[in-house]
Amino acid sequence: MTQITIRRPDDFHLHLRDGARMRDALGFSARVFGRAMIMPNLRPPVTRLGEALEYRKRILEALPEASNFAPLMSLYLRDETSVEDIREASESGVVMAAKLYPAGATTNSSSGVTEIGKMGPVFEEMSECRMPLMVHAEVTDQEVDIFERERVFIETILAPLVEEYPALKVVLEHASTADAIAFVRQARPGVAATITIHHMLLSRNDILVGGLKPHHYCLPVVKTERDRRAIVEAATSGDTRFFAGTDSAPHPRSAKECSGAAAGIFSAPVAVPLYAQLFEQAGALDRLEAFLSLNGAAFYGLPPNEEMIVLEKFPLEVPVDLPFGDERVVPLWAGREVQWRLRAI
Ligand code: DOR
Ligand code: ZN
């Protein structure tokens, strides 16, 4: 097959940043995705409806002319988040989900939730409003090895939470382990996972072998080859509980090529072509549309995008870096070839 026509995809996990950096990053997503779930981990974070509305306005203003890209907004849960915050956000029709970052788990998560056990009223309200909870599923305990943090979070926090709030819709974000895939497969209805292109593509060898590769460092960190294969298998299986969320998270070169490199992979420019490439390798191109364009929308109760896009087999070299405010950002697969491209309309 040398070309494939699918409904316009959605990205259910995207970091757009703000200001000049956002203006540079946004076009890559808006070109190919119809909608994206915008992560709220700005500094300061997007914690209430008013902030989400303002951020959404800045995104819409920064969009390229004639773009129909729709940002779906999310709230950042804190210890202080109230039932009213959730209700008001849900009634707006603009905020589609709330994100649970255990405090300290990742970039800009320091004001995240410190005691998940105290969030009961918020989770009850979200269940009532049918507002999905997006979870960064990693424990933050220093004693837990970084490669074990997702598995331990699932066992000790997520599995009990899913049972305690049976009507809460839950998305395990950026599944990075075979354990996460197994958890979603056996979970009750209303539990799903997003899958990034980098967790399908990379294992920890790609960070640690042949020189340290900070541009492959993200959280949750990519894991073993066995985990990677389980993730590819889930994404390409046709199971509707798995859908695309790129977690594209740009950081300037200066924040990646230094001591204490920031976590995050800028995949937006290559995400859809690389997803297509991996689905092709798995012999599953016929399931690409479900993963990219149907399963996520259905989970969130949204109609699929009406427009179609055409992907064609055409090798292209990925630029070594791209403008990012007054700096540069290195995209995923920089300097390497991708086998598919979006046909210009
Ligand atoms: O790698 C990551 N980068 N993981 C996250 O959870 C946050 C993100 C970011 O905002 O840079
Ligand atoms: Zn993220």
Side-chain angles (χ1 to χ4, degrees):
M1 210 185 301
T2 56
Q3 75 168 51
I4 168 170
T5 303
I6 60 170
R7 286 198 189 244
R8 190 174 280 287
D10 296 314
D11 180 354
F12 279 97
H13 188 133
L14 176 64
H15 297 270
L16 270 187
R17 314 305 191 206
D18 212 343
R21 289 179 175 183
M22 171 174 74
R23 282 194 289 281
D24 284 334
L26 177 58
F28 294 105
S29 296
R31 225 181 128 235
V32 56
F33 292 104
R35 298 168 290 206
M37 183 68 73
I38 310 300
M39 289 298 125
N41 65 332
L42 300 182
R43 228 178 278 154
V46 177
T47 58
R48 307 199 59 219
L49 173 63
E51 292 152 3
L53 291 173
E54 282 166 28
Y55 187 27
R56 179 170 178 273
K57 187 159 168 269
R58 295 197 296 281
I59 297 168
L60 294 175
E61 282 166 6
L63 274 175
E65 199 97 349
S67 170
N68 290 323
F69 177 81
L72 311 172
M73 306 311 290
S74 66
L75 284 195
Y76 182 114
L77 295 182
R78 297 176 300 163
D79 294 342
E80 298 79 17
T81 303
S82 69
V83 166
E84 291 70 38
D85 290 336
I86 298 297
R87 192 175 307 139
E88 167 187 79
S90 168
E91 283 170 0
S92 74
V94 165
V95 173
M96 309 296 292
K99 178 81 184 272
L100 173 65
Y101 288 104
T106 188
T107 309
N108 297 352
S109 65
S110 54
S111 39
V113 173
T114 59
E115 272 191 71
I116 294 171
K118 291 197 177 154
M119 301 300 286
V122 163
F123 296 153
E124 294 288 1
E125 183 63 25
M126 290 178 68
S127 307
E128 189 90 352
C129 305
R130 305 298 289 151
M131 179 192 277
L133 176 71
M134 307 184 294
V135 184
H136 184 112
E138 288 192 288
V139 294
T140 54
D141 322 14
Q142 276 310 314
E143 315 84 77
V144 181
D145 186 272
I146 188 145
F147 289 99
E148 301 293 325
R149 287 180 176 195
E150 186 174 86
R151 181 182 60 75
V152 172
F153 186 96
I154 290 168
E155 285 171 15
T156 61
I157 298 172
L158 195 56
L161 188 144
V162 157
E163 294 314 314
E164 194 174 348
Y165 304 97
L168 183 62
K169 297 178 93 173
V170 174
V171 189
L172 191 164
E173 294 297 327
H174 37 52
S176 74
T177 54
D179 303 289
I181 299 302
F183 168 73
V184 171
R185 284 219 167 101
Q186 61 72 51
R188 61 156 171 82
V191 177
T194 53
I195 292 181
T196 76
I197 184 58
H198 48 275
H199 290 99
M200 288 177 75
L201 192 64
L202 307 174
S203 75
R204 61 197 190 184
N205 282 11
D206 296 298
I207 313 178
L208 298 169
V209 176
L212 186 63
K213 314 238 174 12
H215 295 292
H216 289 166
Y217 171 59
C218 63
L219 286 170
V221 69
V222 298
K223 308 257 174 357
T224 65
E225 179 61 13
R226 176 179 160 267
D227 292 303
R228 189 190 74 79
R229 285 177 192 216
I231 294 164
V232 170
E233 207 281 313
T236 58
S237 67
D239 186 326
T240 57
R241 293 170 291 191
F242 299 107
F243 49 86
T246 64
D247 198 15
S248 178
H251 291 277
R253 241 185 210 284
S254 62
K256 294 290 281 179
E257 298 174 2
C258 60
S259 128
I265 296 180
F266 183 42
S267 60
V270 288
V272 167
L274 281 174
Y275 278 126
Q277 191 169 314
L278 284 175
F279 271 69
E280 182 186 30
Q281 278 167 19
L285 270 180
D286 58 330
R287 295 175 181 160
L288 182 66
E289 182 180 48
F291 176 77
L292 287 180
S293 321
L294 304 177
N295 297 349
F299 181 87
Y300 277 97
L302 298 167
N305 292 310
E306 298 216 328
E307 277 175 16
M308 309 298 282
I309 63 161
V310 179
L311 298 169
E312 57 190 3
K313 212 160 176 191
F314 188 98
L316 276 182
E317 197 175 303
V318 180
V320 293
D321 62 12
L322 294 159
F324 192 49
D326 48 17
E327 297 199 53
R328 311 279 300 174
V329 58
V330 177
L332 177 62
W333 229 236
R336 300 171 75 167
E337 221 172 60
V338 292
Q339 301 306 317
W340 289 79
R341 73 169 179 188
L342 179 69
R343 185 197 284 171
I345 305 159

